[in-house]
Amino acid sequence: MHEDLLAQAKLLATIDPRRPSQVNLRRAVSATYYAVFHCLTEGACRTIMGAKHDAAGYRNVLARSFTHKGINDACRSFSGGTLPDFVRQGLPSTATIPKEVQTIAKAFVRLQEQRHHADYDRAASFTRSEVLMLIEGTIGTLSNFENLESSLDKQFFLACLLAWPTLSKR
Amino acid sequence: MAMNEAVGQALSLGKLHLPAKPKVLSIEATDYVDHMGEPALEVWVTIDEGTPDSELTGQAFNEISMVIDNSLQAHGVTLFPYLRFGKPSERQELAVNA
């Protein structure tokens, strides 16, 4: 799904031959955000339920349990490169936050902010340059994240996207 | 160091190792409050008016973002930076329509 959303975003951002329509730029920003949202939630659901085809239905139901705020809060922590003490203390000393995780986490927080304005702020406007760069940058960031070798560090990040609202209150 | 001074030093154009393309004309930061109510920074990266679409690459976007993020972090700036990009004419149009 996320590849299709990014393709849609590119189409919307480039569909106007001259002056870009703000409506198209707004929808492009929103589609780009949801590309990352679905990539991360799908990755998290595969971590929890497994990637087998017959688990798809379970993953689809589980995917509805993520919240935008919960993922945002988790990503803010992971994007900084260090985790709060309450999390770090229980992890092995070898635990790290891979660069690709930090990058996608920061991208998510930024995209959510942009998407909030694109979808809800009637006064917001976007430049064509920033939307084009945002889409291309997101394509690269998602690719790097997906190509990151599966590891406990990567799986932990994905699992935290669901668990953070509870974990952060400990 | 006061936060404004730290931000200014972190975003001093002459000291940042930015990619050659697209050409960055200026980087300006202002105080910002995000939709979650958190104090943050809005960082406008103004790129050269003649920048073709072929230079609006993902690699450039991610590289510029990383350089800015790393510099802010190195100067002790903890506010989350939200980046915006635009040519002078695009920014002017946003200002007119605001």
Side-chain angles (χ1 to χ4, degrees):
Chain A
M1 184 191 294
H2 61 270
E3 292 103 343
D4 290 342
L5 284 165
L6 288 169
Q8 183 189 54
K10 275 181 105 164
L11 183 67
L12 287 166
T14 54
I15 200 168
D16 298 302
R18 290 179 178 270
R19 194 174 170 183
S21 140
Q22 281 296 320
V23 165
N24 286 336
L25 293 181
R26 284 168 176 266
R27 298 315 302 152
V29 168
S30 189
T32 306
Y33 167 73
Y34 275 105
V36 180
F37 178 87
H38 285 294
C39 175
L40 290 178
T41 55
E42 173 65 15
C45 290
R46 282 173 180 263
T47 295
I48 295 167
M49 294 304 305
K52 289 184 178 175
H53 178 72
D54 56 3
Y58 297 90
R59 291 196 298 268
N60 289 341
V61 172
L62 188 65
R64 297 296 289 134
S65 61
F66 292 85
T67 65
H68 295 276
K69 184 180 186 312
I71 298 176
N72 189 303
D73 289 342
C75 282
R76 279 176 185 267
S77 281
F78 279 86
S79 69
T82 55
L83 294 173
D85 288 344
F86 69 88
V87 173
R88 198 161 33 80
Q89 281 163 5
L91 296 176
S93 58
T94 51
T96 62
I97 306 176
K99 177 172 56 69
E100 293 84 351
V101 169
Q102 293 182 46
T103 303
I104 197 170
K106 193 155 235 171
F108 181 88
V109 175
R110 285 180 164 145
L111 276 164
Q112 189 179 97
E113 181 69 15
Q114 296 281 55
R115 175 256 171 179
H116 177 86
H117 288 291
D119 284 352
Y120 304 123
D121 184 357
R122 293 164 66 92
S125 295
F126 297 87
T127 72
R128 182 175 174 278
S129 297
E130 72 180 322
V131 176
L132 288 175
M133 291 183 84
L134 194 70
I135 297 167
E136 295 298 333
T138 301
I139 291 171
T141 296
L142 282 181
S143 176
N144 289 342
F145 180 76
E146 289 192 300
N147 290 334
L148 177 65
E149 192 178 321
S150 182
S151 64
L152 290 173
D153 293 324
K154 184 178 180 180
Q155 290 170 27
F156 182 67
F157 163 67
L158 288 168
C160 279
L161 299 181
L162 185 59
W164 206 255
T166 305
L167 195 58
S168 63
K169 293 188 176 73
R170 295 287 180 199
Chain B
M1 184 188 297
M3 188 55 65
N4 285 344
E5 190 182 343
V7 171
Q9 289 199 3
L11 300 181
S12 174
L13 202 55
K15 295 179 182 174
L16 293 172
H17 297 292
L18 296 167
K21 296 178 182 179
K23 183 180 177 184
V24 175
L25 299 178
S26 66
I27 300 177
E28 303 146 47
T30 52
D31 290 330
Y32 180 74
V33 178
D34 68 19
H35 77 283
M36 310 269 279
E38 294 291 328
L41 287 175
E42 182 177 63
V43 180
W44 265 103
V45 180
T46 304
I47 59 177
D48 190 77
E49 192 63 42
T51 302
D53 282 1
S54 59
E55 289 181 13
L56 300 176
T57 64
Q59 185 174 349
F61 176 84
N62 289 334
E63 215 173 307
I64 294 170
S65 301
M66 188 177 66
V67 166
I68 290 173
D69 289 343
N70 288 346
S71 186
L72 287 168
Q73 193 170 24
H75 284 80
V77 178
T78 56
L79 294 171
F80 192 96
Y82 291 100
L83 272 54
R84 304 288 309 269
F85 290 79
K87 299 173 183 175
S89 62
E90 290 177 317
R91 293 196 62 184
Q92 176 65 20
E93 188 162 344
L94 295 194
V96 164
N97 293 331

